[in-house]
Amino acid sequence: GPKTSSPVSWHKAKSLKFRYSPCCCSMGSQCSAACRSYGIDEGHVDSFVQTVQGYAGLERKPQEVIPDFGDHLQVKKEAFEQGRLSIVILGASGDLAKKKTYPSLMDLFLNGFLPPHVVIMGFARSKQSSDEFRAAMKPWLLKVKAESEVDRFLSRCEYFQGTYGAADDFRMLDQALKELEAKADFVTTNRLFYFAIPPDAFLASARSIKAGAMANGF
């Protein structure tokens, strides 16, 4: 595929294939901000978007050789593979989560870039059970993967109802996560919190996480 000197790995380029949209061609501010979030500076945005387009099948030339994404030996050395891992999606019932976040996580999981013991916990204010959440999410995921693959990914997904600014809700979330995380035999517990929520809810959410849902890893 197209070469880029920016500090981005090929598997990150692949993980963006579901997020690519034609508006990237215009290199607007939204696209630039998205690229910066992946550690790509402004000088390398054009070449990176060409890379993503290539992997989305939009500008691939017949003679191009696609790099091997199966470098799982390197992935196994990462910190998130050396302990328990929970990914908490704040705003899990919203459009961003359904259309972008969960399809991207599914792609990473099915391609071996997330450990098999990962816990993916949706957190939102909507009242629903984990089974109801999975049933609502499934049609969106079936747009990009076969049912057997979707079911395998959804088996790692749970849901927790809570309020972003309520530390007590996050303390209960912490207990729910601990029960799920205990199934993996590691000493270190790592947690990643993804904000698929409006910016005005960021600060209250961060305070609640710090007060009630931190782990002993990252």
Side-chain angles (χ1 to χ4, degrees), residues 118-132:
V118 65
V119 174
I120 300 175
M121 177 69 79
F123 183 101
R125 292 173 294 190
S126 304
K127 186 177 181 179
Q128 57 185 322
S129 67
S130 290
D131 285 341
E132 291 170 334

Side-chain angles (χ1 to χ4, degrees), residues 53-114:
Q53 289 174 341
Y55 285 109
L58 298 173
E59 293 186 356
R60 186 175 300 150
K61 299 177 182 178
Q63 69 272 22
E64 288 179 345
V65 178
I66 301 175
D68 180 15
F69 288 102
D71 190 9
H72 297 144
L73 292 178
Q74 179 61 38
V75 172
K76 296 298 181 185
K77 299 177 183 178
E78 300 291 342
F80 61 81
E81 284 278 357
Q82 304 301 316
R84 303 182 181 100
L85 175 63
S86 292
I87 301 175
V88 182
I89 311 300
L90 275 65
S93 61
D95 281 350
L96 174 60
K98 291 183 289 190
K99 296 177 180 179
K100 302 293 184 180
T101 310
Y102 273 85
S104 297
L105 286 171
M106 179 173 66
D107 190 47
L108 290 172
F109 177 75
L110 294 176
N111 283 284
F113 293 109
L114 289 176

Side-chain angles (χ1 to χ4, degrees), residues 161-177:
Q161 179 194 6
T163 301
Y164 303 124
D168 286 343
D169 286 355
F170 279 81
R171 292 186 183 97
M172 290 187 287
L173 170 67
D174 177 62
Q175 292 303 313
L177 287 172

